[in-house]
Structures are given as structure tokens and as C-alpha cells.
């Protein structure tokens, strides 16, 4: 138990299997080989008759390698721990969002729907605490997305209460019932909509004050939540009037994901608020979300509609005097929609509104000056991938004082027709940009062009000496696809220099090697 508390997997392995010699060069998770039979002494140590079990301690601490060792030595993954206020190992891991430990327990045979006191399952614990990664692992393992606790709350009502937009989305994707109410009869949509309209920090402060019921001080912390929204944590501390010592502490946390959750729940229920109403809902969150998650939830909801009324309302947004409204309209129109045949199950790959949408976007691009809307237009041209937009894209990327972004490279590569030298010149110029990300995306776009010319090959070859290893990999892949043997140098460099976190670059290099017919099975 001391070794587990310290997270010392090697020591745990030694204690469980003392006759084996553990090499320090070998991960404790894969060494030593467990004997077919576990001795009575080890079995008793792994699953003690009373008190806290080692598996629970390791699970609560997030020590997934130790969890695997204990399971290999016979620990029961579904046995409740006997310590005060303890329960199932899987519930503890999910509660504290130790996703790797959740996976280890599931791999060891833990029941994803096993419940502890009050009917609380691992998924309920994950949803109630906004633990997105653990919730996803459980759902992928087959956890029931609708299984309630004894009071009647479901994972969806708890996720809606927390504001865990990412979990709400994931639960719906895994078949959760969006209409099932919680313990008080309120549906997930009613819960999310109520809190979306409230001042969340004030709600949490009032909750803390009611819980302590006496004079207290409050600490408030804001942080990034795993789904891209913001998390607010309020901690209230009451002081003893005589000693000044803390006599009570209460902590409560929520996410600013209620508006986004409201939007996806409406879509799941078939409700269709007007685009203007969705836009007014999301605008307050633009400075809160890390990646505009609430904004994109509304955009995706509108993209999922294919009726004429919604389409006309969105096109009117593009004519608004407010740049935020224009940006929203462009983002909705960016993604090609289905044609009529798709509604009958036939996919033709053609958007029946392509001509009209492209005309709207091109007309707006000729007169737009607001930077955020210009970026949205470039992203839309990249998605639409229509060569007719080349003049507008060239005008934007070649504009005076323009600082290139990734959208320049994506849009230009998407609309560039074969043989257009002006467009090719602009794209090659972007492969020489000082911004690593822009240079990488431009090189990827250049490599993916169907044309095979000397200019393209030379521009790609120039990137083989780039200091950004992903850019080198993109160039090598582009050269290899054209049968250019200079790709050898890029492949060799990437495989030698790519670090542990650069798996994408290595994968590109391996693709290039395969194109060249290289045998690098040991790479």
C-alpha cells in the first residue's frame, strides 16, 4: 500500500512477484511475466478481507500501470473497497478523471455499469464532474448512457447540470435519450437552458453561501475545461470567530457549457429556434470559450437543417451591418450541404445550393474588410473547394499588408485549378512564409495538388531543409508521390529527427517511403 501511494510501479511488481528479476530498462507494466497461479499470500494482499483494497487505492490515485499489475495478480475489478466512504475502483477512477486507469480496469474485466451506493455508476460520476475523457472511454466500452441513479438522475441530466457540453454531445452520439428527466422532473434541456440564462458564478457563490450558512470567504478560479469551454470553481471557507481557523470548506465547480448543451439538446429533440436566436445565445461566450465551442455548436446545429426557411435566414445574416452576424452566416454556409437526392438515400456529392452560396460568398468577399469575416470567408472557400472563387482568394491573400494565416494556404490550395501560374506562385510563396504553421499547411496543399511540374517539385525540394520537421514530412510525401528520389533525404531526416510527439510527421514519412518502395520495417 505504501508503494501504491507513492506510485512506485516497479516496487509493486517486486512485492507481488519477488522471485522475478525486474530489469530497470523494462516498463513495470509489461514486466515481469505473471505466473499462472497466484500464491495465497499474494491473493490475500491483493484482495484483503477488510479495509481499503490496493486496487481501489491505485485507481483513486490514477496509477494505471499498478492497476494492471494488480489485475494480472488476481485483483477483482468489481470488488468494492472496505474503507470509509469508498466504493468501486472504476467509480473512483472515473470520479477523478483518471482515463488511463479507467481503460486499464475495463481491460481487466470491470463492469462499466456496476453501481455503488445510491446507484452511482462510473458514467454518472464522470458526467457529474465534467470528466470528458473518462466518460468517452466508458461509453466506448459499452456503458449504458441512460442508466440512472436511485434518485432518477441520468448521465445526461448530470452533464447538463454541470455544463459539460462535450459529455452531453458524446452521450447523445451514443444514443442517450434527450427527453429523459432527472430526479425533479426537469429534462436535460430545461436544466441547461435555465443555467445558460443565469450568471453562473453568482449561482455558485449563492450555493456555497447556503451550504455553509455562516460568515465565509470565497476563492474563485477559472480554468480551461476539456471540451474547450471554461470551468469556474468556487471555494467557500468559513472561519471560527474565536480562533480564526477554518471551520468548514465547501467547493463547487461548473462549466460555461450550458448554452452549447442547450443547442445540441434542441437539435436532438428536433427543435428549431431561428438562427438569430441561436446567434444571440452564443455571442456572450465568444470571450469565454477557448475554441469558440458554443459558437460552433450553433453553427453545426444550423448546418444540420436543410429547409428553405433556415437557409434564407442564414443568407440574410451575411447582409447584416454587424460583422459578428456576417461571420456567423458565413460559417454556417461554409460547409457544403446535401442535395435533394441525399434525402432519399442517394449520395451524389453535389450541393444543389453550391452556385447560390458561392455567389453570396464571392460577393461578400469583394467588399469585406472585417478581419474575422475575411478569415471565415477563406475557411468557407476552402471547404467549398470551387475554382470559381480563385479571384477572390487571390485578392485576399495578396492584399496589401496581409499577414498570412493557415486559411490562406487551405483556401488557395482548394480552389487552385491546374495550370494557373498566378495561383501557384501565391501558394509557393506561402510555403516560404515565416510562420511555421502557415508554411506547413501551404506545403501540404502544394504536395496534394494533382499537377506534377518542375516548379512544384523544386518548391517541395526546397522544404526538405526546413527547420519544422512536419513541413519536411509534407514535402517528402509530395515528392514521393511524384516519383522524385529527392524524397529519400526527407524520409531519412524525419525518421531520424522526429520526436515522441511527432507521430504525424513519422506517419507521413512512412507513407513516402512506401511510395518509394523502401523497406523500412525496422524504423
Amino acid at each position: 500500500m505504501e508503494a501504491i501511494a507513492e506510485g512506485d510501479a516497479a516496487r509493486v511488481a517486486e512485492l507481488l512477484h519477488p522471485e522475478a528479476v525486474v530489469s530497470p530498462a523494462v516498463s513495470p507494466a509489461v514486466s515481469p511475466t505473471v505466473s499462472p497461479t497466484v500464491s495465497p499470500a499474494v491473493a490475500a494482499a491483493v484482495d484483503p478481507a477488510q479495509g481499503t483494497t490496493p486496487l481501489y487505492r491505485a485507481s483513486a490515485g490514477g496509477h494505471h500501470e499498478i492497476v494492471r499489475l494488480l489485475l494480472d495478480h488476481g485483483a477483482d475489478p468489481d470488488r468494492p473497497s472496505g474503507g470509509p466512504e469508498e466504493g468501486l475502483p472504476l467509480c473512483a477512477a472515473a470520479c477523478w478523471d483518471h482515463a488511463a486507469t479507467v481503460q486499464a480496469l475495463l481491460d481487466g474485466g470491470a463492469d462499466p455499469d456496476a453501481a455503488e451506493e445510491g446507484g452511482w455508476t462510473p458514467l454518472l460520476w464522470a458526467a457529474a464532474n465534467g470528466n470528458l475523457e473518462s466518460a468517452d472511454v466508458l461509453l466506448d466500452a459499452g456503458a449504458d448512457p441512460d442508466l440512472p441513479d436511485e434518485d432518477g438522475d441520468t448521465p445526461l441530466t448530470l452533464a447538463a447540470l454541470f455544463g459539460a457540453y462535450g459529455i452531453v454531445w458524446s452521450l447523445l452520439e451514443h444514443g442517450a435519450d434527450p427527453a429523459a428527466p432527472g430526479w425533479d422532473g426537469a429534462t436535460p434541456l430545461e436544466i441547461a437552458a435555465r443555467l445558460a440564462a443565469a450568471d453562473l458564478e453568482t449561482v455558485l457563490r449563492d450555493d456555497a453561501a447556503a451550504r455553509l450558512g455562516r460568515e465565509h470567504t470565497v476563492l474563485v478560479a477559472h480554468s480551461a475545461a476539456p471540451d474547450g469551454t471554461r470551468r469556474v470553481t468556487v471555494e467557500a471557507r468559513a472561519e471560527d470567530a474565536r480562533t480564526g481557523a477554518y471551520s468548514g470548506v465547501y467547493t463547487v465547480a461548473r462549466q460555461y457549457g450550458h448554452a452549447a448543451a442547450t443547442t445540441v439538446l434542441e437539435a436532438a429533440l428536433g427543435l428549431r429556434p431561428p438562427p438569430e436566436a441561436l446567434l444571440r445565445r452564443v455571442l456572450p461566450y465568444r470571450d469565454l470559450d477557448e475554441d469558440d465551442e458554443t459558437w460552433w455548436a450553433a453553427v453545426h446545429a444550423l448546418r444540420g437543417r436543410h429547409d428553405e426557411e433556415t437557409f434564407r435566414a442564414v443568407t440574410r445574416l451575411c447582409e447584416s451591418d454587424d460583422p459578428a452576424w456576417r461571420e456567423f452566416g458565413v460559417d454556417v454556409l461554409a460547409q457544403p450541404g446535401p442535395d435533394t437526392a441525399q434525402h432519399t438515400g442517394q449520395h451524389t456529392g453535389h450541393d444543389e445550393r453550391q452556385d447560390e452560396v458561392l455567389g453570396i460568398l464571392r460577393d461578400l468577399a469583394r467588399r469585406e474588410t472585417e478581419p474575422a469575416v475575411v478569415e471565415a470567408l477563406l475557411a468557407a472557400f476552402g471547404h467549398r473547394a470551387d475554382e470559381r472563387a480563385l479571384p477572390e482568394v487571390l485578392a485576399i491573400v495578396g492584399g496589401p499588408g496581409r499577414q498570412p494565416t493557415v486559411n490562406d494556404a487551405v483556401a488557395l490550395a482548394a480552389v487552385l485549378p491546374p495550370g494557373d501560374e498566378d495561383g501557384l506562385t501565391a501558394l509557393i510563396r506561402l510555403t516560404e512564409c515565416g510562420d511555421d504553421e502557415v508554411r506547413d499547411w501551404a506545403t501540404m496543399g502544394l504536395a496534394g495538388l494533382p499537377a506534377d511540374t518542375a516548379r512544384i517539385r523544386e518548391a517541395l525540394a526546397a522544404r526538405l531543409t526546413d527547420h519544422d520537421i512536419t513541413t519536411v514530412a509534407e514535402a517528402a510525401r509530395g515528392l514521393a508521390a511524384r516519383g522524385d528520389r529527392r524524397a529519400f533525404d526527407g524520409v531519412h531526416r524525419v525518421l531520424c529527427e522526429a520526436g515522441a510527439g511527432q507521430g504525424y510527421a513519422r506517419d507521413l514519412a512512412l507513407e513516402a517511403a512506401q511510395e518509394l518502395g523502401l523497406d523500412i520495417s525496422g524504423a
Side-chain angles (χ1 to χ4, degrees):
M1 294 293 274
E2 290 179 3
I4 291 170
E6 295 171 0
D8 190 342
R11 178 63 175 155
V12 172
E14 180 184 350
L15 291 166
L16 288 172
H17 207 55
E19 67 274 18
V21 177
V22 182
S23 168
V26 180
S27 168
V30 294
S31 69
T33 303
V34 180
S35 56
T37 57
V38 177
S39 71
V42 169
V46 166
D47 267 335
Q50 295 179 332
T52 301
T53 66
L55 188 60
Y56 184 89
R57 174 71 58 82
S59 299
H63 305 306
H64 61 92
E65 290 187 344
I66 295 176
V67 164
R68 292 187 183 276
L69 281 168
L70 293 168
L71 291 168
D72 285 345
H73 283 79
D76 182 353
D78 290 328
R79 178 178 178 181
S81 186
E85 298 184 0
E86 294 177 348
L88 293 169
L90 189 57
C91 286
C95 177
W96 293 105
D97 202 21
H98 301 312
T101 302
V102 170
Q103 188 65 67
L105 288 162
L106 292 168
D107 291 344
D111 179 359
D113 288 329
E116 53 188 21
E117 185 178 355
W120 277 75
T121 64
L123 185 57
L124 286 167
W125 278 112
N129 290 285
N131 298 336
L132 176 59
E133 190 175 0
S134 291
D136 280 342
V137 171
L138 290 163
L139 287 166
D140 288 343
D144 187 339
D146 287 325
L147 195 61
D149 65 14
E150 292 178 0
D151 292 327
D153 265 319
T154 69
L156 200 52
T157 59
L158 293 175
L161 178 65
F162 196 89
Y165 155 65
I167 297 180
V168 169
W169 181 292
S170 190
L171 285 165
L172 293 172
E173 289 287 296
H174 285 82
D177 181 359
W183 69 272
D184 60 353
T187 66
L189 177 57
E190 290 168 339
I191 295 168
R194 182 181 74 244
L195 288 168
D199 182 324
L200 187 58
E201 187 173 320
T202 299
V203 169
L204 298 186
R205 285 174 175 270
D206 292 346
D207 181 23
R211 293 297 183 108
L212 286 179
R214 53 193 185 278
E215 290 295 320
H216 61 274
T217 58
V218 172
L219 301 175
V220 179
H222 293 264
S223 59
D227 60 11
T229 62
R230 299 291 293 173
R231 178 176 294 198
V232 56
T233 303
V234 171
E235 181 179 286
R237 297 180 177 182
E239 294 182 3
D240 186 287
R242 291 184 303 100
T243 65
Y246 290 122
S247 59
V249 177
Y250 176 71
T251 303
V252 60
R254 294 285 186 271
Q255 288 175 211
Y256 286 98
H258 297 100
T262 298
T263 299
V264 297
L265 285 164
E266 286 172 341
L269 290 164
L271 303 176
R272 303 163 78 89
E276 296 85 355
L278 286 179
L279 180 56
R280 291 189 184 95
R281 178 189 295 163
V282 306
L283 285 175
Y285 293 86
R286 297 220 74 183
D287 294 331
L288 285 174
D289 294 347
E290 186 174 341
D291 295 309
D292 270 343
E293 295 297 336
T294 307
W295 175 280
W296 289 110
V299 168
H300 288 306
L302 290 172
R303 285 179 180 172
R305 306 181 195 176
H306 309 297
D307 60 289
E308 187 70 13
E309 181 182 0
T310 299
F311 177 69
R312 293 302 160 199
V314 171
T315 60
R316 287 194 295 272
L317 294 178
C318 296
E319 302 167 2
S320 171
D321 292 334
D322 188 325
W325 289 54
R326 298 197 300 276
E327 182 186 357
F328 187 73
V330 170
D331 281 341
V332 176
L333 293 179
Q335 200 78 29
D339 62 12
T340 323
Q342 283 181 266
H343 295 297
T344 63
Q346 302 172 17
H347 179 71
T348 66
H350 173 70
D351 180 359
E352 62 181 9
R353 292 193 172 110
Q354 174 79 351
D355 292 347
E356 185 176 359
V357 170
L358 191 66
I360 293 169
L361 297 176
R362 293 182 69 190
D363 180 63
L364 182 57
R366 295 185 196 108
R367 49 190 168 84
E368 187 59 63
T369 58
E370 188 68 29
V373 186
V374 171
E375 291 302 313
L377 283 163
L378 284 173
F381 289 135
H383 284 298
R384 289 277 167 179
D386 195 308
E387 295 175 359
R388 291 174 290 178
L390 179 63
E392 288 71 33
V393 172
L394 281 176
I396 293 173
V397 302
R402 171 74 182 173
Q403 292 296 315
T405 69
V406 165
N407 286 325
D408 295 47
V410 173
L412 192 51
V415 303
L416 187 60
D420 189 288
E421 291 302 314
D422 290 341
L424 183 59
T425 297
L427 185 57
I428 290 174
R429 188 181 304 119
L430 289 174
T431 68
E432 301 163 351
C433 177
D435 185 298
D436 287 358
E437 195 173 13
V438 173
R439 206 168 57 253
D440 174 29
W441 279 86
T443 303
M444 179 174 66
L446 187 65
L449 293 177
D452 181 10
T453 67
R455 285 192 71 195
I456 293 175
R457 291 189 181 211
E458 291 306 315
L460 291 172
R463 300 271 58 83
L464 295 177
T465 57
D466 201 290
H467 72 265
D468 179 69
I469 204 65
T470 306
T471 301
V472 175
E474 297 284 8
R477 184 180 64 104
L479 288 170
R482 291 166 173 81
D484 193 310
R485 309 299 283 180
R486 286 177 288 184
F488 279 115
D489 294 337
V491 170
H492 181 266
R493 186 180 165 202
V494 173
L495 294 180
C496 289
E497 297 181 16
Q502 295 174 307
Y504 174 69
R506 288 184 60 85
D507 288 344
L508 288 175
L510 293 173
E511 287 179 25
Q514 188 173 13
E515 286 273 0
L516 295 167
L518 293 176
D519 180 12
I520 51 172
S521 56

